[in-house]
Amino acid sequence: MACHSIIYTRPHPYLPRDPPLSAASYYRHNLPTLNFHYKKVCNFYTGRRKSVVCSMAAENKVMSGDRMLVFVPPHPLIKHWVSVLRNEQTPCPVFKNAMAELGRLLMYEASRDWLPTIAGEIQSPMGVASVEFVDPREPVAIVPILRAGLALAEHASSILPATKMYHLGVSRNEDTLQPTVYLNKLPDKFPEGSRVFVVDPMLATGGTIVAAIDLVKERGVDNSQIKVICAVAAPPALTKLSEKFPRLHVYAGILDPTVNEKGFIIPGLGDAGDRSFGT
């Protein structure tokens, strides 16, 4: 059975207001196929709703083990850009910019306590200072899944001091929902210890993201060195990922409850590729 933890610090948007339920209670009630636990840090009340505050990236190690972890950062800007993406009236240029801004914030959160650093001393205008830089000799590999992944990964180089980007094109058959790789620009082998962001806005049925991670792993990257960046994730994809990739970390703007018969997340935000590029 799938086993993963969902981490967030404010009420999930699908938590009913009356009666109050914790996130874990809601998901166990509504998504019985998922088996996960959460670390309760403290509780607080806003009106009648009880909120479960869970640890963020700096405290992950106490609860990860062999589980896949799903992070839903609580930053209000993340909520803002997700809301812009949701709106069917958002025009293409604004949608693409919102996707890029969301990707920037999620990669910022995902890189916390993950990047290799170099410590030393430099001379500031006022004296000698101890400093710490991100090590440029170990760039983070960014793997956007075309097309929509390009928009979500657009600002990767503005948030990460050292990156290399490898494009991966995966299409999904509209009838069978099975993935087909049509472009693979991954290296034959990633350097030992490589850190990889696999970027795909919509984790719906899970076929595309599983195929992408398989290709990355075939090139020498361990599950624990891969982080998935997505705008929206749904239970079918999370279940597949947790069953196949223990210790994987997934960073999502929001979690949605279901996928329809055509493989689209509900309520989701539509076709992320079409809306990003106006096609």
Side-chain angles (χ1 to χ4, degrees), residues 146-161:
L146 309 185
R147 293 174 301 165
L150 290 173
L152 193 59
E154 183 172 327
H155 290 329
S157 61
S158 72
I159 193 70
L160 299 168

Side-chain angles (χ1 to χ4, degrees), residues 158-261:
S158 72
I159 193 70
L160 299 168
T163 62
K164 287 187 176 181
M165 188 168 290
Y166 303 95
H167 295 101
L168 189 61
V170 184
S171 62
R172 186 176 70 173
N173 185 292
E174 294 183 2
D175 296 321
T176 66
L177 303 182
Q178 295 303 306
T180 300
V181 178
Y182 64 86
L183 177 71
N184 183 350
K185 292 297 184 179
L186 298 178
D188 294 334
K189 186 80 172 179
F190 282 99
E192 184 177 355
S194 289
R195 295 162 175 81
V196 181
F197 281 152
V198 181
V199 184
D200 188 10
M202 310 300 289
L203 303 189
T205 62
T208 297
I209 191 65
V210 167
I213 294 175
D214 278 338
L215 290 172
V216 171
K217 284 179 56 64
E218 287 171 6
R219 287 154 174 80
V221 184
D222 185 74
N223 294 350
S224 62
Q225 294 295 93
I226 300 172
K227 294 193 177 186
V228 175
I229 305 296
C230 68
V232 187
L238 295 178
T239 298
K240 286 181 181 178
L241 289 172
S242 63
E243 289 174 344
K244 192 164 184 179
F245 306 114
R247 302 186 310 282
L248 182 72
H249 287 186
V250 177
Y251 283 77
I254 200 165
L255 305 182
D256 275 355
T258 189
V259 173
N260 68 14
E261 68 280 358

Side-chain angles (χ1 to χ4, degrees), residues 43-198:
N43 297 325
F44 64 92
Y45 287 82
T46 303
R48 299 181 60 189
R49 186 190 299 197
K50 182 177 182 180
S51 301
V52 180
V53 181
C54 298
S55 64
M56 290 305 289
E59 300 166 327
N60 297 341
K61 56 187 178 183
V62 301
M63 57 180 299
S64 58
D66 287 334
R67 284 179 166 78
M68 182 185 84
L69 297 184
V70 180
F71 297 84
V72 183
H75 200 292
L77 285 174
I78 289 179
K79 295 177 182 294
H80 169 81
W81 293 120
V82 168
S83 299
V84 173
L85 294 170
R86 293 265 210 212
N87 187 356
E88 67 176 358
Q89 300 300 320
T90 299
C92 173
V94 178
F95 184 93
K96 186 171 182 289
N97 179 71
M99 188 68 77
E101 292 297 332
L102 178 61
R104 186 209 305 267
L105 293 166
L106 290 173
M107 282 184 275
Y108 170 84
E109 293 289 348
S111 61
R112 190 189 305 267
D113 296 331
W114 196 54
L115 301 178
T117 59
I118 302 172
E121 290 186 343
I122 61 170
Q123 180 70 43
S124 84
M126 303 303 293
V128 176
S130 297
V131 296
E132 194 169 348
F133 293 99
V134 172
D135 191 343
R137 298 169 298 181
E138 299 185 38
V140 176
I142 311 296
V143 181
I145 299 177
L146 309 185
R147 293 174 301 165
L150 290 173
L152 193 59
E154 183 172 327
H155 290 329
S157 61
S158 72
I159 193 70
L160 299 168
T163 62
K164 287 187 176 181
M165 188 168 290
Y166 303 95
H167 295 101
L168 189 61
V170 184
S171 62
R172 186 176 70 173
N173 185 292
E174 294 183 2
D175 296 321
T176 66
L177 303 182
Q178 295 303 306
T180 300
V181 178
Y182 64 86
L183 177 71
N184 183 350
K185 292 297 184 179
L186 298 178
D188 294 334
K189 186 80 172 179
F190 282 99
E192 184 177 355
S194 289
R195 295 162 175 81
V196 181
F197 281 152
V198 181

